[in-house]
Amino acid sequence: MFSGGWRCIGRQTTLNIRLPFFQVVFSRHCSPCDIKELLCSSSNIPRSVTFQLQPSPSLKEDMFQNVLSQVAEQFSRAFRINELKTEVTNRLAMLEKRVELEGLKVVEIEKCKNDLKKLRDEMTSRGGGRVGNCPCKYNFSDDGKKLNPRRDVPSYPKYTLSQETIEALKKPTFDVWHWEHNEMLSCLEYMYHDLGLVKEFNMNPITLKRWLLGIQENYRSNPFHNFRHCFCVSQMMYGMINLCNLPEKMTLTDMGILMTAAVCHDLDHPGYNNTYQINARTELAVRYNDISPLENHHCAVAFQILSLPECNIFANVELEAYKQIRQAIITLILATDMARHGEILDSFKHKVDSFDFTNEEHVTCLKMVLIKCCDISNEVRPTEVAEPWVDCLLEEYFMQSDREKTEGLPVAPFMDRDKVTKPTAQIGFIKFVLIPMFETVLKLFPQIEEIMVQPLRDSRDHYEELKQIDDAMTEV
C-alpha cells in the first residue's frame, strides 16, 4: 500500500506517488479500474496492491484562491458600478445647475405651486374665504391668480428712452399721465440700472423684469392707489435722489432701499383706508391687530413676491445684508401710515439742525421722511399734472364713504361727497401737512426750494382762490 496525491490541471489529472517518487498523467475521465491498471502497468506494481488516493493539500489552496478571486471580481464589479453611479450623479448635478442658472427648475416650480396652494387652503379653511368685507386682491383664496411663478422671459417691450425723457425723469415736473404701463415699467427698469443698483446687488436683469411685472400685477385698478401712483411715487423718489445728490451722502444700499420701498409701498391696496379696515373689522385689521393694517399688508405682499426665486432681485445678496435690507424696507413702508405723520416729522425736526449722515439713526429718519414726501408729493408737480390726482383721490374717498354709510360705519367729513369740495380738501392738507414737512427737508437740502417747495405754496394759493370763488357763488 502506498499513498500519493492528485490534482486537476485542465482536462488531465496528475498523480504524485511517493516511495519511490514518480509522476503519472492520465485523463480525468478514466475509471478507477483504468487508473489502477495504468499504475500497475507503468510501475510494475502487482495488481493485488491496494491503492489509496489522497488529495494534495495544494488543492484546497487552489479552491480557496479560486473563491477569493471570484469574490474579488464581484467586489470589483460593484465598485465599478458605484463609480459609474457617482459619475452619472455628478453629471446630473452639473446639468441641474445649468438649468437652474437659466431659470427655475420644474421641480421647484411645482413646489412653489404646492406651497402656495397649501397656504391658500389653510387661509380659506381658517377664514372661510374673504372675511369682513375686505376685498383684498392678494388673498389666498384667489386660487393662484396672483403671485404665480413666471418661467418665461418677461414680454413687455423694451423702450429706448430718449435723452429728453431721461432728463425729465430726474425732475419733479415729470408728467406721469403720458405713459402706458409698459413704458412705466421700462422707466423703472432704467432707474435701477442708472442708479447702479443692478450692479450693486448683482441683480439678474431678467429677474428685475420679472419682479417689476410681479409688482405691476399686484396693484389694483383703484381710482388712486394703482400702479400709476406707484410709478409716480417711485419717479419722485428717483428725482429727489438726483436733486439732493443723495448718492454722494448715502450708500448705494440706501438708494436700493429707498427705490424698492417706493415701488412696493402700496402693493395690493384695496381702495379703502385703515380707518375703514379697523371700523369694519376686516381680515386685515384682525390679522394686524388694528396696527397699520394696510401698510403691514403692503410689506407682506412685497416680500411674498420677493420670496419667488424668479422675482428675487436680492437673491445674490448675503443673508445678513438681506436681513438688514428687508428690515429697512419694512420700516419705510410702515412709515407711510399717515397716522404716524406727526411722530415721524417731530423726530426729524429734532435731528435736522445737527444732522449727521454718519449716524444710522439720523439716516433712517431721513429715509422715512423722504418716502413720506414722495408718497404725498402730487401737489409738487405742475397743476395740470397734480389736479387730476385730486379727482382720483376724491373718487376713491367717495367710494369709501358711500360704503361706510351703507354699512352704518363712521364717515370722515373730508371723504363725504356731501360735505367736501376740491379746494377744501386740498387747502388744509397743503398748509398743515405738505408745506411744514417739505420746509423741514429744505433745511437739509436747500436746492429743493424752487423746484419743490415753491410749487406747494403756489398750489395753496391756487386752491385758496378757488375756495373764494366757491364761497362767493354760494353767497349769491
Side-chain angles (χ1 to χ4, degrees), residues 3-65:
S3 63
W6 61 270
R7 60 180 176 175
C8 295
I9 304 175
R11 292 183 175 275
Q12 294 180 331
T13 299
T14 300
L15 182 68
N16 295 319
I17 303 175
R18 293 187 293 276
L19 299 175
F21 175 79
F22 58 87
Q23 186 178 69
V24 179
V25 179
F26 52 89
S27 169
R28 66 169 58 187
H29 300 293
C30 294
S31 67
C33 293
D34 292 336
I35 295 173
K36 180 177 181 180
E37 180 64 30
L38 177 62
L39 288 173
C40 292
S41 300
S42 63
S43 55
N44 296 319
I45 298 174
R47 286 175 172 77
S48 60
V49 174
T50 301
F51 292 91
Q52 182 179 358
L53 298 180
Q54 296 178 349
S56 170
S58 64
L59 176 63
K60 295 180 180 179
E61 294 176 4
D62 290 343
M63 293 175 66
F64 184 66
Q65 288 296 331

Side-chain angles (χ1 to χ4, degrees), residues 76-95:
S76 177
R77 289 177 180 174
F79 286 134
R80 283 198 296 270
I81 290 174
N82 288 336
E83 290 173 1
L84 181 60
K85 286 182 178 179
T86 301
E87 183 179 354
V88 170
T89 300
N90 290 339
R91 289 184 179 181
L92 284 174
M94 292 175 62
L95 288 172

Side-chain angles (χ1 to χ4, degrees), residues 239-303:
M240 291 195 75
I241 287 172
N242 283 280
L243 182 61
C244 301
N245 298 318
L246 293 184
E248 296 179 5
K249 301 174 176 66
M250 298 160 70
T251 67
L252 274 178
T253 297
D254 289 326
M255 302 302 102
I257 291 166
L258 285 168
M259 286 300 302
T260 305
V263 169
C264 298
H265 83 284
D266 268 335
L267 272 167
D268 195 41
H269 195 297
Y272 300 90
N273 67 14
N274 281 333
T275 301
Y276 174 83
Q277 304 297 325
I278 294 168
N279 289 338
R281 302 176 185 177
T282 65
E283 178 186 356
L284 290 181
V286 172
R287 182 184 303 167
Y288 297 112
N289 304 307
D290 295 348
I291 301 172
S292 304
L294 287 181
E295 289 71 26
N296 275 293
H297 180 60
H298 305 326
C299 291
V301 177
F303 286 98

